[in-house]
Protein backbone atom coordinates (compact mmCIF):
# COMPACT_ATOMS: atom_id res chain seq x y z
CA UNK A 1 0.00 0.00 0.00
CA UNK A 2 1.19 3.53 -0.82
CA UNK A 3 2.87 5.32 2.04
CA UNK A 4 4.27 8.82 2.11
CA UNK A 5 7.06 10.01 4.43
CA UNK A 6 8.53 13.49 4.62
CA UNK A 7 12.01 14.86 5.29
CA UNK A 8 14.36 17.75 4.60
CA UNK A 9 15.84 18.16 1.13
CA UNK A 10 19.62 17.70 1.31
CA UNK A 11 20.01 17.37 -2.48
CA UNK A 12 17.27 18.04 -5.07
CA UNK A 13 15.99 15.83 -7.89
CA UNK A 14 13.91 12.66 -8.05
CA UNK A 15 14.84 8.97 -8.09
CA UNK A 16 12.92 5.73 -8.38
CA UNK A 17 14.51 2.48 -7.20
CA UNK A 18 14.52 -0.50 -4.87
CA UNK A 19 15.14 0.22 -1.22
CA UNK A 20 18.30 -1.13 0.37
CA UNK A 21 18.31 -0.79 4.13
CA UNK A 22 21.59 -0.42 5.98
CA UNK A 23 21.57 -0.02 9.72
CA UNK A 24 25.26 0.29 10.55
CA UNK A 25 24.96 2.81 13.31
CA UNK A 26 22.38 1.18 15.53
CA UNK A 27 24.58 -0.21 18.22
CA UNK A 28 23.40 -3.32 20.07
CA UNK A 29 26.11 -4.18 22.55
CA UNK A 30 26.81 -6.72 25.23
CA UNK A 31 26.88 -4.83 28.51
CA UNK A 32 27.95 -7.65 30.84
CA UNK A 33 31.22 -6.57 32.50
CA UNK A 34 34.48 -8.31 31.66
CA UNK A 35 36.21 -10.56 34.16
CA UNK A 36 39.71 -9.34 35.03
CA UNK A 37 41.31 -12.20 33.13
CA UNK A 38 39.39 -11.22 29.93
CA UNK A 39 40.60 -7.62 29.83
CA UNK A 40 43.82 -8.01 27.81
CA UNK A 41 42.18 -10.21 25.17
CA UNK A 42 39.41 -7.61 24.79
CA UNK A 43 41.98 -4.85 24.28
CA UNK A 44 43.55 -6.92 21.48
CA UNK A 45 40.10 -7.52 19.99
CA UNK A 46 39.34 -3.79 20.07
CA UNK A 47 42.65 -2.80 18.46
CA UNK A 48 42.24 -5.40 15.73
CA UNK A 49 38.86 -3.86 14.88
CA UNK A 50 40.41 -0.36 14.86
CA UNK A 51 43.14 -1.64 12.51
CA UNK A 52 40.55 -3.22 10.20
CA UNK A 53 38.63 0.07 10.05
CA UNK A 54 41.87 1.98 9.27
CA UNK A 55 42.74 -0.55 6.58
CA UNK A 56 39.26 -0.28 5.02
CA UNK A 57 39.55 3.50 4.80
CA UNK A 58 43.05 3.19 3.36
CA UNK A 59 41.79 0.79 0.68
CA UNK A 60 38.80 2.99 -0.10
CA UNK A 61 41.12 5.95 -0.62
CA UNK A 62 43.32 3.88 -2.92
CA UNK A 63 40.30 3.00 -5.07
CA UNK A 64 39.34 6.60 -5.76
CA UNK A 65 40.70 8.25 -8.86
CA UNK A 66 40.61 11.65 -10.51
CA UNK A 67 38.01 14.14 -9.33
CA UNK A 68 36.49 11.62 -6.92
CA UNK A 69 39.82 11.24 -5.12
CA UNK A 70 39.96 14.99 -4.57
CA UNK A 71 36.33 15.34 -3.57
CA UNK A 72 36.11 12.44 -1.16
CA UNK A 73 39.73 12.20 -0.06
CA UNK A 74 39.32 14.99 2.49
CA UNK A 75 36.43 13.21 4.16
CA UNK A 76 38.26 9.89 4.32
CA UNK A 77 41.29 11.65 5.77
CA UNK A 78 39.11 13.28 8.43
CA UNK A 79 37.74 9.86 9.40
CA UNK A 80 41.22 8.33 9.45
CA UNK A 81 42.36 11.16 11.73
CA UNK A 82 39.51 10.40 14.12
CA UNK A 83 40.60 6.76 14.28
CA UNK A 84 44.05 7.91 15.37
CA UNK A 85 42.77 10.45 17.86
CA UNK A 86 44.76 9.86 21.03
CA UNK A 87 42.01 11.06 23.34
CA UNK A 88 39.48 8.72 21.78
CA UNK A 89 41.88 5.76 21.89
CA UNK A 90 42.96 6.48 25.48
CA UNK A 91 39.31 6.75 26.53
CA UNK A 92 38.47 3.40 24.91
CA UNK A 93 41.42 1.60 26.52
CA UNK A 94 40.52 3.08 29.87
CA UNK A 95 36.90 1.96 29.63
CA UNK A 96 38.01 -1.61 28.90
CA UNK A 97 40.92 -1.72 31.40
CA UNK A 98 39.47 0.26 34.29
CA UNK A 99 35.71 0.08 33.70
CA UNK A 100 35.77 -3.55 32.46
CA UNK A 101 33.52 -2.65 29.52
CA UNK A 102 33.48 -4.96 26.52
CA UNK A 103 34.93 -3.39 23.35
CA UNK A 104 31.47 -2.82 21.82
CA UNK A 105 30.10 -1.24 24.98
CA UNK A 106 33.19 0.98 25.29
CA UNK A 107 32.77 2.15 21.69
CA UNK A 108 29.11 2.92 22.29
CA UNK A 109 29.86 4.86 25.48
CA UNK A 110 32.57 6.94 23.78
CA UNK A 111 30.22 7.54 20.88
CA UNK A 112 27.48 8.73 23.23
CA UNK A 113 29.85 11.06 25.09
CA UNK A 114 31.17 12.64 21.89
CA UNK A 115 27.69 12.85 20.36
CA UNK A 116 26.53 14.82 23.43
CA UNK A 117 29.36 17.34 22.95
CA UNK A 118 28.46 17.85 19.26
CA UNK A 119 24.73 17.98 20.01
CA UNK A 120 25.31 20.85 22.43
CA UNK A 121 26.99 23.00 19.76
CA UNK A 122 25.08 25.94 18.37
CA UNK A 123 26.74 26.08 15.00
CA UNK A 124 24.75 23.80 12.64
CA UNK A 125 27.90 23.01 10.63
CA UNK A 126 29.83 21.83 13.69
CA UNK A 127 26.77 20.08 15.04
CA UNK A 128 26.53 18.05 11.86
CA UNK A 129 30.13 16.89 12.40
CA UNK A 130 28.64 14.57 15.05
CA UNK A 131 27.67 12.37 12.11
CA UNK A 132 31.34 11.71 11.40
CA UNK A 133 31.75 10.25 14.89
CA UNK A 134 28.82 7.88 14.31
CA UNK A 135 30.16 6.79 10.99
CA UNK A 136 33.67 6.12 12.26
CA UNK A 137 32.48 4.28 15.37
CA UNK A 138 29.97 2.38 13.18
CA UNK A 139 32.84 1.22 10.97
CA UNK A 140 34.86 -0.04 13.96
CA UNK A 141 31.77 -1.67 15.42
CA UNK A 142 31.14 -3.43 12.13
CA UNK A 143 34.71 -4.70 12.09
CA UNK A 144 34.24 -5.89 15.67
CA UNK A 145 31.13 -7.80 14.74
CA UNK A 146 32.46 -8.67 11.26
CA UNK A 147 29.07 -8.24 9.64
CA UNK A 148 28.59 -4.89 8.00
CA UNK A 149 31.39 -5.27 5.50
CA UNK A 150 29.52 -8.23 3.98
CA UNK A 151 26.41 -6.01 3.96
CA UNK A 152 28.37 -3.26 2.21
CA UNK A 153 29.65 -5.69 -0.40
CA UNK A 154 26.11 -6.87 -1.05
CA UNK A 155 25.05 -3.26 -1.55
CA UNK A 156 28.05 -2.29 -3.61
CA UNK A 157 27.33 -4.95 -6.20
CA UNK A 158 23.81 -3.73 -6.98
CA UNK A 159 22.48 -1.00 -9.21
CA UNK A 160 19.14 0.80 -9.24
CA UNK A 161 18.96 1.15 -5.48
CA UNK A 162 17.92 3.79 -3.01
CA UNK A 163 20.00 3.67 0.13
CA UNK A 164 17.92 3.89 3.31
CA UNK A 165 19.99 4.38 6.44
CA UNK A 166 20.30 6.62 9.48
CA UNK A 167 23.27 8.59 8.14
CA UNK A 168 25.74 7.77 5.37
CA UNK A 169 29.50 8.25 5.59
CA UNK A 170 30.89 10.35 2.71
CA UNK A 171 33.32 7.57 1.76
CA UNK A 172 30.45 5.07 1.50
CA UNK A 173 28.42 7.55 -0.48
CA UNK A 174 31.23 7.84 -3.03
CA UNK A 175 31.65 4.08 -3.14
CA UNK A 176 27.94 3.40 -3.66
CA UNK A 177 27.53 6.15 -6.25
CA UNK A 178 30.28 4.51 -8.28
CA UNK A 179 28.18 1.33 -8.17
CA UNK A 180 24.94 2.79 -9.45
CA UNK A 181 23.21 4.16 -6.36
CA UNK A 182 20.27 6.40 -7.37
CA UNK A 183 19.23 8.21 -4.22
CA UNK A 184 19.56 8.40 -0.46
CA UNK A 185 17.04 8.52 2.36
CA UNK A 186 18.38 9.22 5.84
CA UNK A 187 16.27 8.77 8.95
CA UNK A 188 18.63 11.22 10.68
CA UNK A 189 21.34 13.51 9.30
CA UNK A 190 21.60 17.15 8.38
CA UNK A 191 21.50 19.19 5.20
CA UNK A 192 24.85 20.68 6.29
CA UNK A 193 26.61 17.28 6.42
CA UNK A 194 29.51 16.42 4.16
CA UNK A 195 27.40 13.64 2.68
CA UNK A 196 24.74 16.18 1.74
CA UNK A 197 27.37 18.37 0.07
CA UNK A 198 28.63 15.34 -1.85
CA UNK A 199 25.12 14.30 -2.85
CA UNK A 200 24.59 17.78 -4.29
CA UNK A 201 27.79 17.61 -6.28
CA UNK A 202 26.99 14.05 -7.52
CA UNK A 203 23.43 15.18 -8.43
CA UNK A 204 22.11 12.39 -6.24
CA UNK A 205 18.70 13.18 -4.70
CA UNK A 206 18.94 12.94 -0.92
CA UNK A 207 16.46 13.47 1.90
CA UNK A 208 17.45 13.58 5.55
CA UNK A 209 15.45 13.53 8.77
CA UNK A 210 12.88 11.10 7.33
CA UNK A 211 11.97 9.93 10.81
CA UNK A 212 10.22 6.60 10.15
CA UNK A 213 12.29 5.56 7.16
CA UNK A 214 13.93 2.58 8.82
CA UNK A 215 10.68 1.14 10.15
CA UNK A 216 8.31 2.04 7.30
CA UNK A 217 10.51 0.86 4.44
CA UNK A 218 11.58 -2.75 3.83
CA UNK A 219 14.37 -4.12 1.70
CA UNK A 220 13.39 -4.26 -1.98
CA UNK A 221 10.32 -2.03 -1.58
CA UNK A 222 9.89 0.22 -4.61
CA UNK A 223 10.45 3.81 -3.45
CA UNK A 224 10.24 7.19 -5.13
CA UNK A 225 12.53 9.83 -3.62
CA UNK A 226 11.11 13.25 -4.35
CA UNK A 227 13.84 15.77 -3.64
CA UNK A 228 11.67 18.56 -5.05
CA UNK A 229 8.89 18.25 -2.47
CA UNK A 230 10.82 16.53 0.34
CA UNK A 231 8.83 13.28 0.17
CA UNK A 232 9.59 9.59 0.02
CA UNK A 233 6.80 7.49 -1.48
CA UNK A 234 6.85 3.79 -0.69
CA UNK A 235 4.95 1.65 -3.26
CA UNK A 236 4.21 4.61 -5.59
CA UNK A 237 0.95 4.56 -7.56
CA UNK A 238 0.55 4.94 -11.33
CA UNK A 239 -0.11 8.62 -10.73
CA UNK A 240 3.16 9.04 -8.79
CA UNK A 241 5.05 7.28 -11.56
CA UNK A 242 3.46 9.56 -14.14
CA UNK A 243 4.65 12.59 -12.16
CA UNK A 244 8.13 11.09 -11.97
CA UNK A 245 8.25 10.57 -15.75
CA UNK A 246 7.15 14.15 -16.35
CA UNK A 247 9.87 15.37 -14.02
CA UNK A 248 12.45 13.18 -15.78
CA UNK A 249 11.54 14.60 -19.17
CA UNK A 250 11.63 18.18 -17.93
CA UNK A 251 14.90 17.65 -16.03
CA UNK A 252 16.54 16.14 -19.12
CA UNK A 253 15.43 19.07 -21.30
CA UNK A 254 16.50 21.63 -18.72
CA UNK A 255 19.84 19.83 -18.15
CA UNK A 256 20.58 19.80 -21.90
CA UNK A 257 19.65 23.45 -22.22
CA UNK A 258 21.76 24.53 -19.23
CA UNK A 259 24.72 22.31 -20.17
CA UNK A 260 25.04 24.26 -23.40
CA UNK A 261 25.66 27.35 -21.27
CA UNK A 262 28.59 25.78 -19.37
CA UNK A 263 31.28 27.39 -21.45
CA UNK A 264 29.36 30.24 -22.97
CA UNK A 265 30.24 33.79 -21.92
CA UNK A 266 27.77 35.54 -19.62
CA UNK A 267 26.22 38.23 -21.75
CA UNK A 268 22.93 40.12 -21.38
CA UNK A 269 20.49 40.36 -24.31
CA UNK A 270 21.93 43.75 -25.26
CA UNK A 271 25.47 42.32 -25.31
CA UNK A 272 26.93 43.47 -21.96
CA UNK A 273 29.45 41.02 -20.51
CA UNK A 274 29.05 40.08 -16.85
CA UNK A 275 31.39 37.88 -14.83
CA UNK A 276 30.33 34.88 -12.77
CA UNK A 277 32.64 33.59 -10.06
CA UNK A 278 32.25 30.63 -7.73
CA UNK A 279 32.24 30.51 -3.93
CA UNK A 280 34.31 27.56 -2.69
CA UNK A 281 34.96 25.82 0.57
CA UNK A 282 36.51 22.57 -0.61
CA UNK A 283 38.00 20.82 -3.60
CA UNK A 284 34.67 19.54 -4.96
CA UNK A 285 33.58 23.17 -5.43
CA UNK A 286 36.69 23.87 -7.49
CA UNK A 287 35.95 20.95 -9.81
CA UNK A 288 32.36 22.13 -10.21
CA UNK A 289 33.44 25.74 -10.79
CA UNK A 290 35.69 24.63 -13.65
CA UNK A 291 33.06 22.35 -15.16
CA UNK A 292 30.49 25.10 -15.23
CA UNK A 293 32.73 27.72 -16.73
CA UNK A 294 33.23 30.06 -13.74
CA UNK A 295 35.39 33.12 -14.40
CA UNK A 296 37.35 32.31 -11.24
CA UNK A 297 36.84 31.84 -7.51
CA UNK A 298 35.25 34.96 -6.03
CA UNK A 299 35.28 33.72 -2.44
CA UNK A 300 37.40 30.91 -1.01
CA UNK A 301 36.25 30.51 2.60
CA UNK A 302 39.63 29.63 4.11
CA UNK A 303 38.24 29.20 7.62
CA UNK A 304 36.92 25.78 6.60
CA UNK A 305 40.53 24.59 6.67
CA UNK A 306 40.59 25.72 10.28
CA UNK A 307 37.20 24.22 11.14
CA UNK A 308 37.92 20.79 9.73
CA UNK A 309 40.60 19.90 12.23
CA UNK A 310 41.55 20.25 15.84
CA UNK A 311 44.80 22.21 15.72
CA UNK A 312 45.67 25.25 13.64
CA UNK A 313 46.81 24.41 10.13
CA UNK A 314 50.39 25.63 9.74
CA UNK A 315 51.84 27.76 6.94
CA UNK A 316 52.96 24.73 4.94
CA UNK A 317 49.60 22.99 5.07
CA UNK A 318 47.81 26.16 4.08
CA UNK A 319 50.30 26.82 1.28
CA UNK A 320 49.57 23.37 -0.21
CA UNK A 321 45.80 23.84 0.10
CA UNK A 322 45.86 27.29 -1.56
CA UNK A 323 48.34 26.18 -4.23
CA UNK A 324 46.05 23.28 -5.15
CA UNK A 325 43.07 25.61 -5.52
CA UNK A 326 45.13 27.84 -7.81
CA UNK A 327 46.34 24.87 -9.84
CA UNK A 328 42.76 23.59 -10.00
CA UNK A 329 41.58 26.88 -11.49
CA UNK A 330 44.28 26.81 -14.17
CA UNK A 331 45.27 30.48 -14.08
CA UNK A 332 41.81 31.98 -13.48
CA UNK A 333 41.72 34.41 -10.52
CA UNK A 334 41.24 32.92 -7.05
CA UNK A 335 40.12 35.18 -4.21
CA UNK A 336 41.20 33.76 -0.87
CA UNK A 337 39.33 35.25 2.04
CA UNK A 338 41.46 35.42 5.15
CA UNK A 339 40.27 33.68 8.27
CA UNK A 340 36.64 34.56 9.02
CA UNK A 341 36.16 32.84 12.36
CA UNK A 342 33.94 34.08 15.15
CA UNK A 343 30.16 34.63 15.31
CA UNK A 344 28.65 31.29 14.28
CA UNK A 345 31.99 29.81 13.19
CA UNK A 346 33.90 28.72 16.31
CA UNK A 347 37.19 26.94 15.75
CA UNK A 348 38.32 23.88 17.64
CA UNK A 349 41.79 25.37 18.18
CA UNK A 350 40.48 27.97 20.61
CA UNK A 351 41.25 31.25 18.80
CA UNK A 352 37.67 32.43 19.06
CA UNK A 353 36.70 34.09 22.32
CA UNK A 354 34.03 31.95 23.98
CA UNK A 355 31.03 33.32 25.78
CA UNK A 356 30.83 36.77 24.14
CA UNK A 357 27.42 38.32 24.80
CA UNK A 358 26.98 39.23 21.12
CA UNK A 359 29.35 37.06 19.10
CA UNK A 360 27.98 38.35 15.75
CA UNK A 361 29.05 41.84 16.93
CA UNK A 362 32.17 40.47 18.57
CA UNK A 363 35.76 39.63 17.81
CA UNK A 364 35.34 38.01 14.40
CA UNK A 365 36.88 38.14 10.92
CA UNK A 366 39.72 40.64 10.56
CA UNK A 367 39.21 41.80 14.15
CA UNK A 368 40.25 38.34 15.30
CA UNK A 369 43.06 37.96 12.76
CA UNK A 370 44.64 41.26 13.85
CA UNK A 371 44.70 40.02 17.45
CA UNK A 372 46.81 37.03 16.41
CA UNK A 373 49.45 38.54 14.10
CA UNK A 374 51.49 35.31 14.09
CA UNK A 375 48.56 33.17 12.95
CA UNK A 376 47.51 35.86 10.47
CA UNK A 377 51.02 36.29 9.06
CA UNK A 378 51.33 32.51 8.58
CA UNK A 379 48.17 32.65 6.48
CA UNK A 380 49.38 35.67 4.48
CA UNK A 381 52.75 33.99 3.86
CA UNK A 382 50.98 30.83 2.65
CA UNK A 383 48.80 32.87 0.25
CA UNK A 384 51.78 34.86 -1.06
CA UNK A 385 53.81 31.69 -1.66
CA UNK A 386 50.87 30.01 -3.42
CA UNK A 387 50.49 33.12 -5.59
CA UNK A 388 53.20 32.01 -8.03
CA UNK A 389 50.97 29.10 -9.15
CA UNK A 390 48.20 31.27 -10.57
CA UNK A 391 46.42 34.55 -9.97
CA UNK A 392 45.57 35.08 -6.33
CA UNK A 393 43.78 37.92 -4.56
CA UNK A 394 43.44 38.47 -0.80
CA UNK A 395 40.01 39.32 0.60
CA UNK A 396 39.60 40.68 4.13
CA UNK A 397 36.33 39.88 5.99
CA UNK A 398 34.39 42.06 8.47
CA UNK A 399 36.21 45.30 7.71
CA UNK A 400 34.76 48.23 9.69
CA UNK A 401 37.20 51.05 8.86
CA UNK A 402 40.09 51.83 6.53
CA UNK A 403 42.62 51.47 9.37
CA UNK A 404 42.09 47.71 9.35
CA UNK A 405 42.90 47.55 5.65
CA UNK A 406 46.03 49.62 6.28
CA UNK A 407 47.06 47.18 9.04
CA UNK A 408 46.53 44.19 6.74
CA UNK A 409 48.51 45.86 3.97
CA UNK A 410 51.38 46.46 6.34
CA UNK A 411 51.37 42.78 7.45
CA UNK A 412 51.32 41.67 3.80
CA UNK A 413 54.29 43.99 3.08
CA UNK A 414 56.18 42.56 6.01
CA UNK A 415 55.40 38.96 5.01
CA UNK A 416 56.56 39.73 1.47
CA UNK A 417 59.88 41.16 2.71
CA UNK A 418 60.50 38.20 5.03
CA UNK A 419 59.72 35.68 2.29
CA UNK A 420 61.95 37.47 -0.20
CA UNK A 421 64.81 37.46 2.28
CA UNK A 422 64.27 33.74 2.81
CA UNK A 423 64.61 33.16 -0.93
CA UNK A 424 60.98 32.34 -1.79
CA UNK A 425 59.57 33.05 -5.22
CA UNK A 426 56.71 35.56 -5.03
CA UNK A 427 54.01 36.91 -7.34
CA UNK A 428 54.78 40.37 -8.69
CA UNK A 429 51.60 41.92 -7.38
CA UNK A 430 48.71 40.77 -5.32
CA UNK A 431 45.41 42.61 -5.07
CA UNK A 432 43.98 43.12 -1.59
CA UNK A 433 40.26 43.72 -1.23
CA UNK A 434 37.77 44.44 1.52
CA UNK A 435 34.53 42.64 2.20
CA UNK A 436 31.71 45.08 2.67
CA UNK A 437 29.47 43.49 5.27
CA UNK A 438 29.44 46.02 8.10
CA UNK A 439 27.10 49.03 7.62
CA UNK A 440 29.87 51.46 8.66
CA UNK A 441 32.11 50.09 5.91
CA UNK A 442 29.30 50.40 3.40
CA UNK A 443 28.40 53.97 4.35
CA UNK A 444 32.05 55.03 4.56
CA UNK A 445 33.09 52.97 1.56
CA UNK A 446 35.08 55.80 -0.07
CA UNK A 447 37.77 55.69 2.60
CA UNK A 448 37.90 51.88 2.43
CA UNK A 449 38.29 52.07 -1.35
CA UNK A 450 41.41 54.19 -0.88
CA UNK A 451 43.07 51.23 0.84
CA UNK A 452 41.56 48.46 -1.33
CA UNK A 453 42.18 47.16 -4.83
CA UNK A 454 38.68 45.68 -5.07
CA UNK A 455 35.52 45.10 -3.02
CA UNK A 456 33.31 42.07 -2.38
CA UNK A 457 29.91 42.72 -0.85
CA UNK A 458 28.91 40.07 1.69
CA UNK A 459 25.15 40.47 1.75
CA UNK A 460 24.59 37.52 4.11
CA UNK A 461 26.13 39.58 6.89
CA UNK A 462 25.42 43.05 5.53
CA UNK A 463 21.69 42.26 5.49
CA UNK A 464 21.74 40.98 9.06
CA UNK A 465 23.52 44.10 10.31
CA UNK A 466 21.50 46.62 8.27
CA UNK A 467 18.22 44.97 9.25
CA UNK A 468 19.31 43.95 12.79
CA UNK A 469 17.99 40.47 12.04
CA UNK A 470 20.15 37.45 12.90
CA UNK A 471 20.82 35.51 9.67
CA UNK A 472 20.53 32.20 11.56
CA UNK A 473 17.27 32.96 13.32
CA UNK A 474 14.37 31.32 11.46
CA UNK A 475 11.87 33.39 13.43
CA UNK A 476 13.16 36.55 11.72
CA UNK A 477 12.87 35.15 8.20
CA UNK A 478 10.37 37.85 7.17
CA UNK A 479 12.57 40.69 8.36
CA UNK A 480 15.72 39.31 6.76
CA UNK A 481 14.66 40.62 3.36
CA UNK A 482 17.14 41.26 0.53
CA UNK A 483 14.58 43.55 -1.13
CA UNK A 484 14.28 45.90 1.84
CA UNK A 485 14.64 49.40 0.34
CA UNK A 486 17.28 50.39 2.92
CA UNK A 487 19.47 47.48 1.89
CA UNK A 488 18.99 48.39 -1.77
CA UNK A 489 20.14 51.93 -1.09
CA UNK A 490 23.23 50.68 0.73
CA UNK A 491 24.05 48.27 -2.10
CA UNK A 492 23.52 50.98 -4.71
CA UNK A 493 25.81 53.33 -2.78
CA UNK A 494 28.65 50.79 -2.51
CA UNK A 495 28.45 49.63 -6.14
CA UNK A 496 28.37 53.21 -7.47
CA UNK A 497 31.29 54.27 -5.28
CA UNK A 498 33.44 51.37 -6.50
CA UNK A 499 32.51 52.07 -10.14
CA UNK A 500 33.40 55.74 -9.73
CA UNK A 501 36.74 54.78 -8.18
CA UNK A 502 37.36 52.42 -11.13
CA UNK A 503 37.74 49.42 -8.86
CA UNK A 504 36.10 46.00 -9.32
CA UNK A 505 33.20 45.17 -7.03
CA UNK A 506 31.55 41.77 -6.73
CA UNK A 507 28.75 40.41 -4.57
CA UNK A 508 29.27 37.02 -2.92
CA UNK A 509 26.31 36.60 -0.53
CA UNK A 510 23.64 33.98 -1.26
CA UNK A 511 21.49 36.43 -3.25
CA UNK A 512 24.16 36.49 -5.99
CA UNK A 513 23.24 32.87 -6.76
CA UNK A 514 19.49 33.36 -6.67
CA UNK A 515 18.09 34.18 -10.13
CA UNK A 516 15.20 36.08 -8.48
CA UNK A 517 17.56 38.85 -7.35
CA UNK A 518 19.61 39.03 -10.56
CA UNK A 519 17.53 41.85 -12.21
CA UNK A 520 17.80 44.02 -9.09
CA UNK A 521 21.57 43.53 -8.86
CA UNK A 522 22.08 44.28 -12.55
CA UNK A 523 19.94 47.40 -12.14
CA UNK A 524 22.19 48.57 -9.30
CA UNK A 525 25.22 48.26 -11.59
CA UNK A 526 26.71 44.96 -10.43
CA UNK A 527 28.86 43.25 -13.07
CA UNK A 528 30.54 40.52 -10.95
CA UNK A 529 28.60 37.82 -9.11
CA UNK A 530 30.05 35.06 -6.92
CA UNK A 531 27.91 32.09 -5.92
CA UNK A 532 27.79 28.40 -5.10
CA UNK A 533 29.02 26.70 -8.30
CA UNK A 534 25.80 24.68 -8.47
CA UNK A 535 23.94 27.93 -9.25
CA UNK A 536 26.22 29.21 -12.01
CA UNK A 537 24.28 27.94 -15.00
CA UNK A 538 20.88 29.01 -13.68
CA UNK A 539 22.13 32.53 -13.02
CA UNK A 540 23.90 32.70 -16.40
CA UNK A 541 20.65 31.63 -18.03
CA UNK A 542 18.70 34.34 -16.21
CA UNK A 543 21.24 37.09 -16.94
CA UNK A 544 21.34 36.25 -20.66
CA UNK A 545 17.65 37.06 -20.85
CA UNK A 546 17.93 40.50 -19.24
CA UNK A 547 18.29 43.84 -20.92
CA UNK A 548 21.15 45.62 -19.18
CA UNK A 549 20.41 49.12 -20.50
CA UNK A 550 16.77 48.97 -19.51
CA UNK A 551 17.55 47.72 -16.01
CA UNK A 552 20.32 50.28 -15.43
CA UNK A 553 17.89 53.05 -16.34
CA UNK A 554 15.72 51.84 -13.49
CA UNK A 555 18.41 52.34 -10.81
CA UNK A 556 17.62 55.94 -9.74
CA UNK A 557 13.94 55.23 -9.12
CA UNK A 558 14.66 51.81 -7.56
CA UNK A 559 16.83 53.27 -4.80
CA UNK A 560 14.15 55.89 -4.10
CA UNK A 561 11.46 53.27 -3.33
CA UNK A 562 10.04 53.43 0.19
CA UNK A 563 8.64 49.93 0.40
CA UNK A 564 9.56 46.42 -0.65
CA UNK A 565 6.31 46.23 -2.64
CA UNK A 566 7.30 49.27 -4.66
CA UNK A 567 10.69 47.68 -5.41
CA UNK A 568 9.02 44.48 -6.55
CA UNK A 569 6.49 46.32 -8.66
CA UNK A 570 9.10 48.39 -10.46
CA UNK A 571 11.13 45.30 -11.29
CA UNK A 572 8.08 43.33 -12.38
CA UNK A 573 6.84 46.12 -14.65
CA UNK A 574 10.25 46.58 -16.21
CA UNK A 575 10.63 42.86 -16.89
CA UNK A 576 7.15 42.63 -18.38
CA UNK A 577 7.92 45.53 -20.70
CA UNK A 578 10.80 43.79 -22.44
C1 LIG B 1 28.52 37.14 3.46
O1 LIG B 1 28.48 37.52 4.63
O2 LIG B 1 27.70 37.51 2.60
C2 LIG B 1 29.53 36.16 3.01
C3 LIG B 1 29.68 35.87 1.74
O3 LIG B 1 30.30 35.57 3.95
P1 LIG B 1 29.83 34.39 4.93
O4 LIG B 1 28.50 33.88 4.44
O5 LIG B 1 30.91 33.37 4.86
O6 LIG B 1 29.75 35.10 6.23
MG1 LIG C 1 30.16 37.22 5.94
Amino acid sequence: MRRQLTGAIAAPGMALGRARLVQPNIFHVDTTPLRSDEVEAEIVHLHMALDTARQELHELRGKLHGALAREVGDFIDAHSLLLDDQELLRGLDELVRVGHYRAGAALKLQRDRLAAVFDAMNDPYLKSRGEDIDQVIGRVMAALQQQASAEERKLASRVGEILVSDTVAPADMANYTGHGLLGVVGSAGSVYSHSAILARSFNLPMLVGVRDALSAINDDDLVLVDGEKGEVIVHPTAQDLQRYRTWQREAANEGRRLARLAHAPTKTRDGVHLRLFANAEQSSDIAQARNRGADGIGLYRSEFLFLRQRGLPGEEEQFIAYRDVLLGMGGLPVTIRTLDLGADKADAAGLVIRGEDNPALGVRGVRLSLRYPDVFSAQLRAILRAGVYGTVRILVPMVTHAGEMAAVRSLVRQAREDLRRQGHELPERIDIGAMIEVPAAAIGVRSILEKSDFLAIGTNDLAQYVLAADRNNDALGDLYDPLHPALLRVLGHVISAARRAGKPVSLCGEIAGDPIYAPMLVALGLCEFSMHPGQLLRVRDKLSNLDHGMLRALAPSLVRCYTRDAVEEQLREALERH
Side-chain angles (χ1 to χ4, degrees), residues 301 337 340 345 364 397-398 435 437 458-462 471:
R301 290 183 161 104
R337 175 170 76 183
D340 188 24
K345 287 178 265 186
R364 59 166 298 198
M398 256 328 252
M435 276 197 84
E437 38 190 359
T459 41
N460 301 341
D461 278 314
L462 185 59
R471 64 193 260 186

Side-chain angles (χ1 to χ4, degrees), residues 22-44:
V22 176
Q23 311 206 357
N25 297 332
I26 294 176
F27 307 131
H28 300 293
V29 295
D30 182 356
T31 51
T32 44
L34 291 166
R35 295 193 316 267
S36 302
D37 63 341
E38 289 176 323
V39 167
E40 283 315 310
E42 194 68 3
I43 291 273
V44 173

Side-chain angles (χ1 to χ4, degrees), residues 400-481:
T400 310
H401 59 79
E404 289 162 332
M405 288 305 289
V408 174
R409 284 193 171 277
S410 140
L411 284 172
V412 172
R413 244 188 331 267
Q414 185 63 49
R416 203 181 245 292
E417 274 163 31
D418 293 347
L419 286 167
R420 187 169 296 122
R421 231 177 305 112
Q422 290 158 6
H424 286 281
E425 234 192 296
L426 293 168
E428 248 166 49
R429 85 166 262 134
I430 200 160
D431 283 344
I432 306 175
M435 276 197 84
I436 302 298
E437 38 190 359
V438 174
I443 295 163
V445 68
R446 296 235 302 266
S447 68
I448 304 230
L449 274 164
E450 280 173 18
K451 300 281 175 209
S452 308
D453 302 307
F454 66 97
L455 300 180
I457 309 176
T459 41
N460 301 341
D461 278 314
L462 185 59
Q464 82 162 341
Y465 296 130
V466 167
L467 303 165
D470 182 347
R471 64 193 260 186
N472 295 318
N473 187 343
D474 290 343
L476 299 173
D478 287 350
L479 269 182
Y480 189 91
D481 178 9

Side-chain angles (χ1 to χ4, degrees), residues 316-328:
E316 202 57 29
E317 192 181 336
Q318 289 185 67
F319 159 66
I320 290 169
Y322 305 149
R323 182 200 61 191
D324 288 352
V325 175
L326 283 155
L327 292 176

Side-chain angles (χ1 to χ4, degrees), residues 131-157:
E131 273 182 32
D132 291 324
I133 304 283
D134 262 5
Q135 289 154 359
V136 170
I137 300 265
R139 193 177 286 284
V140 183
M141 199 75 100
L144 204 59
Q145 297 163 355
Q146 302 217 316
Q147 58 176 30
S149 38
E151 186 73 30
E152 278 175 22
R153 272 194 290 280
K154 189 169 88 181
L155 186 107
S157 65

Side-chain angles (χ1 to χ4, degrees), residues 11 47 50 172 317-318 370 375 424 435 490 511:
H47 282 268
L50 286 163
D172 293 333
E317 192 181 336
Q318 289 185 67
L370 289 173
V375 175
H424 286 281
M435 276 197 84
V490 173
I511 60 170

Side-chain angles (χ1 to χ4, degrees), residues 32 59 100-101 161 184 187-188 258 270 316 400 416 441 445 489 530:
T32 44
E59 283 171 13
H100 285 203
Y101 283 88
E161 292 185 346
V184 181
S187 63
L258 286 181
D270 49 342
E316 202 57 29
T400 310
R416 203 181 245 292
V445 68
R489 244 166 272 174
S530 190

